[in-house]
């Protein structure tokens, strides 16, 4: 493995934490004897092109510095290349970093962990989800949660995560369960009334909400959490349990497992790793061992 590695940095992640995180991560890697090259970009497409160029030039690893959005963008560059991927969590949610067992908001510790893994050859393969040509690491969200994202993305104020709390309250007032058509592994279509359907390669989204608590990055399957028809009062009562993952014991919630999941519903956008991937219908496929990861 070459001693030159690439930091793929989102300077705006976590209100500037991405830019601040790059320096201690780079210092930890340089202290371990690695040459560090930093890749930014004028916009996501330019950044992606630069990351792909670094990989083509033979970088020893691509290390994303930022949140789930930056990690997701990095996946589009690194999957299928054999280049190891690392993640310095510096965003708001950091759910893929949680799934990988990386330090959260401690860039120096993440840099040291990655450096040690690179020196020791500690590389493991993990699964990813794929929707068409788009890859994701954590969760594909649809339904109530994706509509909260839609509304939050349209709001200019307030800033940060508070925006999505306000969006959730506003969306809750208007939301009704949706008729879904769910297809698992190409089998029969299941028609259900659902508040949301989440397809988990990893267990959490939204900054630690364990919507699919049993999801495993190495089992070749998605966990699919279906929150059925329920009242607003029930949703509010059950929602806090999602942080512990104990919501799945509620009778309105069903957990399914499959390697391929087709979702169809009217006027619903799918969000993968917090990024919009398009309106339903969508089909997600779990690809075993798609990503080489350096870390714990």
């Amino acid at each position: 493995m070459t001693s030159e590695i690439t930091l793929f940095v989102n300077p705006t992640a976590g209100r500037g934490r991405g830019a601040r995180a790059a320096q201690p991560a780079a210092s930890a890697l340089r202290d371990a004897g690695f040459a560090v090259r930093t890749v930014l970009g004028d916009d996501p497409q330019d950044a992606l092109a630069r990351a792909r160029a670094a990989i083509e030039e033979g970088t020893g690893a691509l290390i994303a510095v930022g949140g789930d959005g930056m990690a997701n963008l990095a996946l589009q560059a690194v999957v299928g290349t054999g280049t190891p991927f690392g993640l310095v969590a510096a965003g708001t949610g950091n759910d893929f970093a949680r799934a990988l067992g990386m330090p959260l908001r401690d860039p120096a510790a993440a840099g040291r962990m990655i450096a040690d893994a690179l020196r020791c050859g500690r590389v493991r393969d993990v699964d990813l989800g794929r929707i068409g040509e788009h890859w994701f690491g954590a969760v594909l969200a649809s339904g109530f949660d994706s509509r909260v994202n839609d509304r939050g993305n349209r709001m200019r104020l307030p800033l940060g995560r508070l925006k999505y709390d306000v969006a959730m309250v506003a969306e809750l007032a208007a939301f009704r369960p949706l008729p879904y058509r769910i297809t698992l592994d190409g089998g029969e279509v299941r028609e259900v009334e659902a508040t949301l359907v989440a397809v988990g390669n990893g267990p959490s989204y939204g900054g630690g909400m364990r919507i699919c608590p049993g999801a495993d990055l190495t089992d070749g399957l998605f966990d699919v959490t279906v929150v059925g028809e329920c009242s607003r009062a029930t949703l509010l009562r059950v929602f806090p349990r999602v942080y512990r993952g104990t919501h799945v014991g509620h009778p309105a919630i069903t957990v399914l497992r499959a390697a391929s999941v087709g979702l169809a519903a009217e006027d619903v956008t799918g969000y993968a790793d917090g990024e919009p991937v398009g309106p339903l219908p969508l089909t997600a496929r779990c690809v075993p061992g798609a990503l080489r990861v350096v870390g714990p």
Side-chain angles (χ1 to χ4, degrees), residues 133-169:
E133 297 302 313
H134 188 87
W135 299 88
F136 68 96
V139 176
L140 167 64
S142 72
F144 175 73
D145 43 9
S146 62
R147 288 191 171 179
V148 170
N149 261 318
D150 284 340
R151 185 182 289 267
N153 290 342
R154 294 193 300 267
M155 294 168 58
R156 301 180 69 178
L157 292 172
L159 299 175
R161 291 190 62 181
L162 181 59
K163 175 194 298 186
Y164 294 95
D165 293 338
V166 172
M168 183 177 71
V169 172

PDB file of all heavy atoms in Angstrom, residues 133-169:
ATOM      1  N   GLU A 133     -27.593   3.056  -9.757  1.00  0.00           N
ATOM      2  CA  GLU A 133     -26.136   3.216  -9.706  1.00  0.00           C
ATOM      3  C   GLU A 133     -25.677   3.950  -8.461  1.00  0.00           C
ATOM      4  O   GLU A 133     -24.494   4.267  -8.334  1.00  0.00           O
ATOM      5  CB  GLU A 133     -25.655   3.977 -10.962  1.00  0.00           C
ATOM      6  CG  GLU A 133     -25.919   3.250 -12.265  1.00  0.00           C
ATOM      7  CD  GLU A 133     -25.255   1.878 -12.289  1.00  0.00           C
ATOM      8  OE1 GLU A 133     -24.061   1.774 -11.933  1.00  0.00           O
ATOM      9  OE2 GLU A 133     -25.940   0.899 -12.636  1.00  0.00           O
ATOM     10  N   HIS A 134     -26.596   4.224  -7.545  1.00  0.00           N
ATOM     11  CA  HIS A 134     -26.267   5.009  -6.351  1.00  0.00           C
ATOM     12  C   HIS A 134     -26.096   4.080  -5.154  1.00  0.00           C
ATOM     13  O   HIS A 134     -26.939   3.221  -4.874  1.00  0.00           O
ATOM     14  CB  HIS A 134     -27.368   6.030  -6.055  1.00  0.00           C
ATOM     15  CG  HIS A 134     -27.011   6.985  -4.967  1.00  0.00           C
ATOM     16  ND1 HIS A 134     -26.319   8.158  -5.203  1.00  0.00           N
ATOM     17  CD2 HIS A 134     -27.224   6.937  -3.623  1.00  0.00           C
ATOM     18  CE1 HIS A 134     -26.129   8.787  -4.060  1.00  0.00           C
ATOM     19  NE2 HIS A 134     -26.668   8.069  -3.088  1.00  0.00           N
ATOM     20  N   TRP A 135     -24.998   4.286  -4.410  1.00  0.00           N
ATOM     21  CA  TRP A 135     -24.669   3.458  -3.259  1.00  0.00           C
ATOM     22  C   TRP A 135     -25.013   4.171  -1.958  1.00  0.00           C
ATOM     23  O   TRP A 135     -24.930   5.408  -1.885  1.00  0.00           O
ATOM     24  CB  TRP A 135     -23.176   3.127  -3.261  1.00  0.00           C
ATOM     25  CG  TRP A 135     -22.735   2.360  -4.457  1.00  0.00           C
ATOM     26  CD1 TRP A 135     -22.318   2.878  -5.658  1.00  0.00           C
ATOM     27  CD2 TRP A 135     -22.664   0.940  -4.591  1.00  0.00           C
ATOM     28  NE1 TRP A 135     -21.990   1.858  -6.519  1.00  0.00           N
ATOM     29  CE2 TRP A 135     -22.190   0.658  -5.898  1.00  0.00           C
ATOM     30  CE3 TRP A 135     -22.941  -0.125  -3.732  1.00  0.00           C
ATOM     31  CZ2 TRP A 135     -22.009  -0.634  -6.361  1.00  0.00           C
ATOM     32  CZ3 TRP A 135     -22.759  -1.421  -4.180  1.00  0.00           C
ATOM     33  CH2 TRP A 135     -22.302  -1.661  -5.478  1.00  0.00           C
ATOM     34  N   PHE A 136     -25.367   3.403  -0.915  1.00  0.00           N
ATOM     35  CA  PHE A 136     -25.561   4.003   0.399  1.00  0.00           C
ATOM     36  C   PHE A 136     -25.076   3.042   1.479  1.00  0.00           C
ATOM     37  O   PHE A 136     -25.022   1.822   1.283  1.00  0.00           O
ATOM     38  CB  PHE A 136     -27.017   4.409   0.632  1.00  0.00           C
ATOM     39  CG  PHE A 136     -28.011   3.282   0.758  1.00  0.00           C
ATOM     40  CD1 PHE A 136     -28.400   2.802   2.002  1.00  0.00           C
ATOM     41  CD2 PHE A 136     -28.598   2.713  -0.369  1.00  0.00           C
ATOM     42  CE1 PHE A 136     -29.328   1.784   2.134  1.00  0.00           C
ATOM     43  CE2 PHE A 136     -29.532   1.687  -0.255  1.00  0.00           C
ATOM     44  CZ  PHE A 136     -29.902   1.218   0.994  1.00  0.00           C
ATOM     45  N   GLY A 137     -24.720   3.632   2.633  1.00  0.00           N
ATOM     46  CA  GLY A 137     -24.125   2.840   3.703  1.00  0.00           C
ATOM     47  C   GLY A 137     -25.048   2.551   4.860  1.00  0.00           C
ATOM     48  O   GLY A 137     -24.923   1.500   5.492  1.00  0.00           O
ATOM     49  N   ALA A 138     -25.959   3.468   5.198  1.00  0.00           N
ATOM     50  CA  ALA A 138     -26.736   3.335   6.431  1.00  0.00           C
ATOM     51  C   ALA A 138     -28.185   2.958   6.149  1.00  0.00           C
ATOM     52  O   ALA A 138     -28.539   1.789   6.173  1.00  0.00           O
ATOM     53  CB  ALA A 138     -26.637   4.611   7.255  1.00  0.00           C
ATOM     54  N   VAL A 139     -29.047   3.938   5.869  1.00  0.00           N
ATOM     55  CA  VAL A 139     -30.489   3.678   5.810  1.00  0.00           C
ATOM     56  C   VAL A 139     -31.112   4.401   4.621  1.00  0.00           C
ATOM     57  O   VAL A 139     -30.795   5.559   4.342  1.00  0.00           O
ATOM     58  CB  VAL A 139     -31.183   4.151   7.114  1.00  0.00           C
ATOM     59  CG1 VAL A 139     -32.695   3.971   7.027  1.00  0.00           C
ATOM     60  CG2 VAL A 139     -30.638   3.388   8.331  1.00  0.00           C
ATOM     61  N   LEU A 140     -32.026   3.701   3.954  1.00  0.00           N
ATOM     62  CA  LEU A 140     -32.921   4.307   2.982  1.00  0.00           C
ATOM     63  C   LEU A 140     -34.232   4.604   3.692  1.00  0.00           C
ATOM     64  O   LEU A 140     -34.896   3.689   4.195  1.00  0.00           O
ATOM     65  CB  LEU A 140     -33.164   3.360   1.800  1.00  0.00           C
ATOM     66  CG  LEU A 140     -34.314   3.719   0.849  1.00  0.00           C
ATOM     67  CD1 LEU A 140     -34.043   5.034   0.135  1.00  0.00           C
ATOM     68  CD2 LEU A 140     -34.570   2.588  -0.141  1.00  0.00           C
ATOM     69  N   ALA A 141     -34.604   5.884   3.777  1.00  0.00           N
ATOM     70  CA  ALA A 141     -35.798   6.311   4.498  1.00  0.00           C
ATOM     71  C   ALA A 141     -36.892   6.674   3.510  1.00  0.00           C
ATOM     72  O   ALA A 141     -36.626   7.238   2.440  1.00  0.00           O
ATOM     73  CB  ALA A 141     -35.477   7.520   5.378  1.00  0.00           C
ATOM     74  N   SER A 142     -38.137   6.371   3.895  1.00  0.00           N
ATOM     75  CA  SER A 142     -39.269   6.779   3.068  1.00  0.00           C
ATOM     76  C   SER A 142     -40.495   6.918   3.947  1.00  0.00           C
ATOM     77  O   SER A 142     -40.640   6.230   4.960  1.00  0.00           O
ATOM     78  CB  SER A 142     -39.536   5.745   1.958  1.00  0.00           C
ATOM     79  OG  SER A 142     -40.098   4.556   2.483  1.00  0.00           O
ATOM     80  N   GLY A 143     -41.376   7.842   3.575  1.00  0.00           N
ATOM     81  CA  GLY A 143     -42.610   8.050   4.325  1.00  0.00           C
ATOM     82  C   GLY A 143     -42.537   9.280   5.187  1.00  0.00           C
ATOM     83  O   GLY A 143     -42.051  10.336   4.757  1.00  0.00           O
ATOM     84  N   PHE A 144     -42.997   9.168   6.428  1.00  0.00           N
ATOM     85  CA  PHE A 144     -43.038  10.320   7.318  1.00  0.00           C
ATOM     86  C   PHE A 144     -41.674  10.961   7.471  1.00  0.00           C
ATOM     87  O   PHE A 144     -41.522  12.182   7.386  1.00  0.00           O
ATOM     88  CB  PHE A 144     -43.566   9.882   8.693  1.00  0.00           C
ATOM     89  CG  PHE A 144     -43.528  10.971   9.726  1.00  0.00           C
ATOM     90  CD1 PHE A 144     -44.427  12.018   9.684  1.00  0.00           C
ATOM     91  CD2 PHE A 144     -42.574  10.947  10.738  1.00  0.00           C
ATOM     92  CE1 PHE A 144     -44.393  13.033  10.639  1.00  0.00           C
ATOM     93  CE2 PHE A 144     -42.540  11.944  11.693  1.00  0.00           C
ATOM     94  CZ  PHE A 144     -43.442  12.995  11.642  1.00  0.00           C
ATOM     95  N   ASP A 145     -40.627  10.142   7.687  1.00  0.00           N
ATOM     96  CA  ASP A 145     -39.294  10.694   7.912  1.00  0.00           C
ATOM     97  C   ASP A 145     -38.760  11.400   6.675  1.00  0.00           C
ATOM     98  O   ASP A 145     -38.107  12.438   6.768  1.00  0.00           O
ATOM     99  CB  ASP A 145     -38.315   9.619   8.398  1.00  0.00           C
ATOM    100  CG  ASP A 145     -38.448   8.309   7.647  1.00  0.00           C
ATOM    101  OD1 ASP A 145     -39.176   8.256   6.636  1.00  0.00           O
ATOM    102  OD2 ASP A 145     -37.817   7.321   8.081  1.00  0.00           O
ATOM    103  N   SER A 146     -39.039  10.860   5.488  1.00  0.00           N
ATOM    104  CA  SER A 146     -38.543  11.528   4.283  1.00  0.00           C
ATOM    105  C   SER A 146     -39.321  12.819   4.008  1.00  0.00           C
ATOM    106  O   SER A 146     -38.760  13.790   3.491  1.00  0.00           O
ATOM    107  CB  SER A 146     -38.610  10.587   3.073  1.00  0.00           C
ATOM    108  OG  SER A 146     -39.915  10.199   2.780  1.00  0.00           O
ATOM    109  N   ARG A 147     -40.601  12.845   4.388  1.00  0.00           N
ATOM    110  CA  ARG A 147     -41.357  14.090   4.225  1.00  0.00           C
ATOM    111  C   ARG A 147     -40.876  15.163   5.194  1.00  0.00           C
ATOM    112  O   ARG A 147     -40.900  16.357   4.877  1.00  0.00           O
ATOM    113  CB  ARG A 147     -42.850  13.817   4.384  1.00  0.00           C
ATOM    114  CG  ARG A 147     -43.415  13.056   3.182  1.00  0.00           C
ATOM    115  CD  ARG A 147     -44.907  13.004   3.167  1.00  0.00           C
ATOM    116  NE  ARG A 147     -45.381  12.463   1.902  1.00  0.00           N
ATOM    117  CZ  ARG A 147     -46.656  12.278   1.601  1.00  0.00           C
ATOM    118  NH1 ARG A 147     -47.601  12.623   2.472  1.00  0.00           N
ATOM    119  NH2 ARG A 147     -47.003  11.768   0.434  1.00  0.00           N
ATOM    120  N   VAL A 148     -40.428  14.750   6.377  1.00  0.00           N
ATOM    121  CA  VAL A 148     -39.795  15.709   7.292  1.00  0.00           C
ATOM    122  C   VAL A 148     -38.531  16.276   6.638  1.00  0.00           C
ATOM    123  O   VAL A 148     -38.279  17.484   6.702  1.00  0.00           O
ATOM    124  CB  VAL A 148     -39.470  15.042   8.644  1.00  0.00           C
ATOM    125  CG1 VAL A 148     -38.587  15.951   9.503  1.00  0.00           C
ATOM    126  CG2 VAL A 148     -40.753  14.706   9.388  1.00  0.00           C
ATOM    127  N   ASN A 149     -37.745  15.415   6.006  1.00  0.00           N
ATOM    128  CA  ASN A 149     -36.560  15.895   5.285  1.00  0.00           C
ATOM    129  C   ASN A 149     -36.945  16.863   4.178  1.00  0.00           C
ATOM    130  O   ASN A 149     -36.298  17.906   3.995  1.00  0.00           O
ATOM    131  CB  ASN A 149     -35.802  14.710   4.682  1.00  0.00           C
ATOM    132  CG  ASN A 149     -34.617  14.285   5.510  1.00  0.00           C
ATOM    133  OD1 ASN A 149     -33.876  15.099   6.023  1.00  0.00           O
ATOM    134  ND2 ASN A 149     -34.448  12.985   5.660  1.00  0.00           N
ATOM    135  N   ASP A 150     -37.975  16.513   3.410  1.00  0.00           N
ATOM    136  CA  ASP A 150     -38.432  17.404   2.333  1.00  0.00           C
ATOM    137  C   ASP A 150     -38.765  18.787   2.885  1.00  0.00           C
ATOM    138  O   ASP A 150     -38.314  19.814   2.357  1.00  0.00           O
ATOM    139  CB  ASP A 150     -39.689  16.834   1.664  1.00  0.00           C
ATOM    140  CG  ASP A 150     -39.411  15.672   0.737  1.00  0.00           C
ATOM    141  OD1 ASP A 150     -38.255  15.522   0.289  1.00  0.00           O
ATOM    142  OD2 ASP A 150     -40.353  14.909   0.451  1.00  0.00           O
ATOM    143  N   ARG A 151     -39.556  18.801   3.953  1.00  0.00           N
ATOM    144  CA  ARG A 151     -39.984  20.082   4.525  1.00  0.00           C
ATOM    145  C   ARG A 151     -38.787  20.835   5.115  1.00  0.00           C
ATOM    146  O   ARG A 151     -38.640  22.050   4.917  1.00  0.00           O
ATOM    147  CB  ARG A 151     -41.051  19.856   5.601  1.00  0.00           C
ATOM    148  CG  ARG A 151     -41.650  21.132   6.158  1.00  0.00           C
ATOM    149  CD  ARG A 151     -42.666  20.831   7.251  1.00  0.00           C
ATOM    150  NE  ARG A 151     -43.890  20.246   6.744  1.00  0.00           N
ATOM    151  CZ  ARG A 151     -44.969  20.962   6.412  1.00  0.00           C
ATOM    152  NH1 ARG A 151     -44.955  22.286   6.517  1.00  0.00           N
ATOM    153  NH2 ARG A 151     -46.058  20.345   5.999  1.00  0.00           N
ATOM    154  N   GLY A 152     -37.921  20.123   5.844  1.00  0.00           N
ATOM    155  CA  GLY A 152     -36.751  20.766   6.435  1.00  0.00           C
ATOM    156  C   GLY A 152     -35.834  21.372   5.393  1.00  0.00           C
ATOM    157  O   GLY A 152     -35.283  22.466   5.589  1.00  0.00           O
ATOM    158  N   ASN A 153     -35.669  20.679   4.282  1.00  0.00           N
ATOM    159  CA  ASN A 153     -34.798  21.192   3.221  1.00  0.00           C
ATOM    160  C   ASN A 153     -35.355  22.446   2.564  1.00  0.00           C
ATOM    161  O   ASN A 153     -34.600  23.232   1.985  1.00  0.00           O
ATOM    162  CB  ASN A 153     -34.563  20.110   2.162  1.00  0.00           C
ATOM    163  CG  ASN A 153     -33.694  18.978   2.672  1.00  0.00           C
ATOM    164  OD1 ASN A 153     -33.001  19.128   3.671  1.00  0.00           O
ATOM    165  ND2 ASN A 153     -33.744  17.852   2.001  1.00  0.00           N
ATOM    166  N   ARG A 154     -36.665  22.640   2.648  1.00  0.00           N
ATOM    167  CA  ARG A 154     -37.276  23.848   2.076  1.00  0.00           C
ATOM    168  C   ARG A 154     -37.208  25.033   3.039  1.00  0.00           C
ATOM    169  O   ARG A 154     -37.420  26.175   2.629  1.00  0.00           O
ATOM    170  CB  ARG A 154     -38.739  23.582   1.707  1.00  0.00           C
ATOM    171  CG  ARG A 154     -38.940  22.585   0.578  1.00  0.00           C
ATOM    172  CD  ARG A 154     -40.377  22.621   0.077  1.00  0.00           C
ATOM    173  NE  ARG A 154     -41.358  22.302   1.101  1.00  0.00           N
ATOM    174  CZ  ARG A 154     -41.837  21.085   1.335  1.00  0.00           C
ATOM    175  NH1 ARG A 154     -41.398  20.059   0.615  1.00  0.00           N
ATOM    176  NH2 ARG A 154     -42.741  20.889   2.280  1.00  0.00           N
ATOM    177  N   MET A 155     -36.933  24.771   4.311  1.00  0.00           N
ATOM    178  CA  MET A 155     -36.940  25.831   5.320  1.00  0.00           C
ATOM    179  C   MET A 155     -35.588  26.535   5.393  1.00  0.00           C
ATOM    180  O   MET A 155     -34.547  25.881   5.369  1.00  0.00           O
ATOM    181  CB  MET A 155     -37.287  25.233   6.696  1.00  0.00           C
ATOM    182  CG  MET A 155     -38.698  24.680   6.782  1.00  0.00           C
ATOM    183  SD  MET A 155     -38.977  23.688   8.281  1.00  0.00           S
ATOM    184  CE  MET A 155     -38.592  24.871   9.568  1.00  0.00           C
ATOM    185  N   ARG A 156     -35.604  27.830   5.482  1.00  0.00           N
ATOM    186  CA  ARG A 156     -34.369  28.600   5.613  1.00  0.00           C
ATOM    187  C   ARG A 156     -34.002  28.805   7.078  1.00  0.00           C
ATOM    188  O   ARG A 156     -32.830  28.955   7.423  1.00  0.00           O
ATOM    189  CB  ARG A 156     -34.518  29.946   4.898  1.00  0.00           C
ATOM    190  CG  ARG A 156     -34.840  29.790   3.405  1.00  0.00           C
ATOM    191  CD  ARG A 156     -34.986  31.116   2.702  1.00  0.00           C
ATOM    192  NE  ARG A 156     -33.720  31.828   2.600  1.00  0.00           N
ATOM    193  CZ  ARG A 156     -33.582  32.992   1.992  1.00  0.00           C
ATOM    194  NH1 ARG A 156     -34.628  33.585   1.451  1.00  0.00           N
ATOM    195  NH2 ARG A 156     -32.401  33.577   1.943  1.00  0.00           N
ATOM    196  N   LEU A 157     -35.006  28.868   7.938  1.00  0.00           N
ATOM    197  CA  LEU A 157     -34.788  29.024   9.369  1.00  0.00           C
ATOM    198  C   LEU A 157     -35.738  28.076  10.100  1.00  0.00           C
ATOM    199  O   LEU A 157     -36.817  27.766   9.588  1.00  0.00           O
ATOM    200  CB  LEU A 157     -35.062  30.471   9.813  1.00  0.00           C
ATOM    201  CG  LEU A 157     -34.073  31.531   9.313  1.00  0.00           C
ATOM    202  CD1 LEU A 157     -34.599  32.932   9.669  1.00  0.00           C
ATOM    203  CD2 LEU A 157     -32.685  31.314   9.893  1.00  0.00           C
ATOM    204  N   PRO A 158     -35.353  27.627  11.300  1.00  0.00           N
ATOM    205  CA  PRO A 158     -34.084  27.831  12.004  1.00  0.00           C
ATOM    206  C   PRO A 158     -32.962  27.013  11.375  1.00  0.00           C
ATOM    207  O   PRO A 158     -33.199  26.251  10.431  1.00  0.00           O
ATOM    208  CB  PRO A 158     -34.398  27.340  13.418  1.00  0.00           C
ATOM    209  CG  PRO A 158     -35.448  26.288  13.204  1.00  0.00           C
ATOM    210  CD  PRO A 158     -36.293  26.780  12.063  1.00  0.00           C
ATOM    211  N   LEU A 159     -31.773  27.157  11.920  1.00  0.00           N
ATOM    212  CA  LEU A 159     -30.604  26.467  11.384  1.00  0.00           C
ATOM    213  C   LEU A 159     -30.370  25.154  12.127  1.00  0.00           C
ATOM    214  O   LEU A 159     -30.888  24.925  13.215  1.00  0.00           O
ATOM    215  CB  LEU A 159     -29.365  27.361  11.506  1.00  0.00           C
ATOM    216  CG  LEU A 159     -29.417  28.693  10.761  1.00  0.00           C
ATOM    217  CD1 LEU A 159     -28.172  29.507  11.070  1.00  0.00           C
ATOM    218  CD2 LEU A 159     -29.564  28.477   9.261  1.00  0.00           C
ATOM    219  N   GLY A 160     -29.532  24.305  11.526  1.00  0.00           N
ATOM    220  CA  GLY A 160     -29.086  23.086  12.187  1.00  0.00           C
ATOM    221  C   GLY A 160     -30.212  22.082  12.372  1.00  0.00           C
ATOM    222  O   GLY A 160     -31.224  22.085  11.674  1.00  0.00           O
ATOM    223  N   ARG A 161     -30.040  21.202  13.374  1.00  0.00           N
ATOM    224  CA  ARG A 161     -31.003  20.126  13.604  1.00  0.00           C
ATOM    225  C   ARG A 161     -32.346  20.652  14.082  1.00  0.00           C
ATOM    226  O   ARG A 161     -33.377  19.993  13.911  1.00  0.00           O
ATOM    227  CB  ARG A 161     -30.440  19.124  14.613  1.00  0.00           C
ATOM    228  CG  ARG A 161     -29.273  18.325  14.084  1.00  0.00           C
ATOM    229  CD  ARG A 161     -28.902  17.193  14.996  1.00  0.00           C
ATOM    230  NE  ARG A 161     -29.992  16.243  15.132  1.00  0.00           N
ATOM    231  CZ  ARG A 161     -29.922  15.164  15.895  1.00  0.00           C
ATOM    232  NH1 ARG A 161     -28.831  14.915  16.594  1.00  0.00           N
ATOM    233  NH2 ARG A 161     -30.946  14.331  15.971  1.00  0.00           N
ATOM    234  N   LEU A 162     -32.375  21.842  14.687  1.00  0.00           N
ATOM    235  CA  LEU A 162     -33.637  22.411  15.141  1.00  0.00           C
ATOM    236  C   LEU A 162     -34.608  22.568  13.977  1.00  0.00           C
ATOM    237  O   LEU A 162     -35.831  22.432  14.143  1.00  0.00           O
ATOM    238  CB  LEU A 162     -33.389  23.755  15.828  1.00  0.00           C
ATOM    239  CG  LEU A 162     -34.629  24.469  16.392  1.00  0.00           C
ATOM    240  CD1 LEU A 162     -35.329  23.599  17.428  1.00  0.00           C
ATOM    241  CD2 LEU A 162     -34.222  25.814  16.996  1.00  0.00           C
ATOM    242  N   LYS A 163     -34.073  22.830  12.790  1.00  0.00           N
ATOM    243  CA  LYS A 163     -34.908  22.958  11.602  1.00  0.00           C
ATOM    244  C   LYS A 163     -35.756  21.707  11.402  1.00  0.00           C
ATOM    245  O   LYS A 163     -36.957  21.775  11.109  1.00  0.00           O
ATOM    246  CB  LYS A 163     -34.024  23.197  10.375  1.00  0.00           C
ATOM    247  CG  LYS A 163     -34.785  23.220   9.051  1.00  0.00           C
ATOM    248  CD  LYS A 163     -33.853  23.119   7.864  1.00  0.00           C
ATOM    249  CE  LYS A 163     -32.888  24.279   7.784  1.00  0.00           C
ATOM    250  NZ  LYS A 163     -32.069  24.226   6.534  1.00  0.00           N
ATOM    251  N   TYR A 164     -35.136  20.555  11.589  1.00  0.00           N
ATOM    252  CA  TYR A 164     -35.844  19.300  11.343  1.00  0.00           C
ATOM    253  C   TYR A 164     -36.805  18.952  12.482  1.00  0.00           C
ATOM    254  O   TYR A 164     -37.818  18.297  12.256  1.00  0.00           O
ATOM    255  CB  TYR A 164     -34.833  18.185  11.074  1.00  0.00           C
ATOM    256  CG  TYR A 164     -34.101  18.451   9.783  1.00  0.00           C
ATOM    257  CD1 TYR A 164     -32.866  19.090   9.783  1.00  0.00           C
ATOM    258  CD2 TYR A 164     -34.683  18.151   8.564  1.00  0.00           C
ATOM    259  CE1 TYR A 164     -32.215  19.394   8.603  1.00  0.00           C
ATOM    260  CE2 TYR A 164     -34.048  18.451   7.371  1.00  0.00           C
ATOM    261  CZ  TYR A 164     -32.812  19.069   7.399  1.00  0.00           C
ATOM    262  OH  TYR A 164     -32.189  19.371   6.219  1.00  0.00           O
ATOM    263  N   ASP A 165     -36.526  19.428  13.691  1.00  0.00           N
ATOM    264  CA  ASP A 165     -37.490  19.270  14.779  1.00  0.00           C
ATOM    265  C   ASP A 165     -38.759  20.068  14.478  1.00  0.00           C
ATOM    266  O   ASP A 165     -39.883  19.579  14.674  1.00  0.00           O
ATOM    267  CB  ASP A 165     -36.885  19.734  16.104  1.00  0.00           C
ATOM    268  CG  ASP A 165     -35.749  18.843  16.582  1.00  0.00           C
ATOM    269  OD1 ASP A 165     -35.698  17.675  16.140  1.00  0.00           O
ATOM    270  OD2 ASP A 165     -34.914  19.318  17.370  1.00  0.00           O
ATOM    271  N   VAL A 166     -38.578  21.299  13.991  1.00  0.00           N
ATOM    272  CA  VAL A 166     -39.722  22.125  13.628  1.00  0.00           C
ATOM    273  C   VAL A 166     -40.466  21.491  12.450  1.00  0.00           C
ATOM    274  O   VAL A 166     -41.705  21.437  12.436  1.00  0.00           O
ATOM    275  CB  VAL A 166     -39.254  23.553  13.272  1.00  0.00           C
ATOM    276  CG1 VAL A 166     -40.407  24.382  12.699  1.00  0.00           C
ATOM    277  CG2 VAL A 166     -38.664  24.245  14.498  1.00  0.00           C
ATOM    278  N   ALA A 167     -39.712  20.983  11.486  1.00  0.00           N
ATOM    279  CA  ALA A 167     -40.334  20.340  10.322  1.00  0.00           C
ATOM    280  C   ALA A 167     -41.129  19.113  10.742  1.00  0.00           C
ATOM    281  O   ALA A 167     -42.215  18.839  10.201  1.00  0.00           O
ATOM    282  CB  ALA A 167     -39.270  19.966   9.301  1.00  0.00           C
ATOM    283  N   MET A 168     -40.632  18.367  11.717  1.00  0.00           N
ATOM    284  CA  MET A 168     -41.328  17.159  12.169  1.00  0.00           C
ATOM    285  C   MET A 168     -42.668  17.517  12.796  1.00  0.00           C
ATOM    286  O   MET A 168     -43.684  16.871  12.526  1.00  0.00           O
ATOM    287  CB  MET A 168     -40.475  16.390  13.172  1.00  0.00           C
ATOM    288  CG  MET A 168     -41.132  15.091  13.614  1.00  0.00           C
ATOM    289  SD  MET A 168     -40.110  14.115  14.734  1.00  0.00           S
ATOM    290  CE  MET A 168     -40.185  15.126  16.207  1.00  0.00           C
ATOM    291  N   VAL A 169     -42.691  18.566  13.625  1.00  0.00           N
ATOM    292  CA  VAL A 169     -43.940  18.984  14.256  1.00  0.00           C
ATOM    293  C   VAL A 169     -44.942  19.428  13.194  1.00  0.00           C
ATOM    294  O   VAL A 169     -46.126  19.063  13.227  1.00  0.00           O
ATOM    295  CB  VAL A 169     -43.675  20.112  15.271  1.00  0.00           C
ATOM    296  CG1 VAL A 169     -44.993  20.690  15.783  1.00  0.00           C
ATOM    297  CG2 VAL A 169     -42.837  19.591  16.433  1.00  0.00           C
TER     298      VAL A 169
END
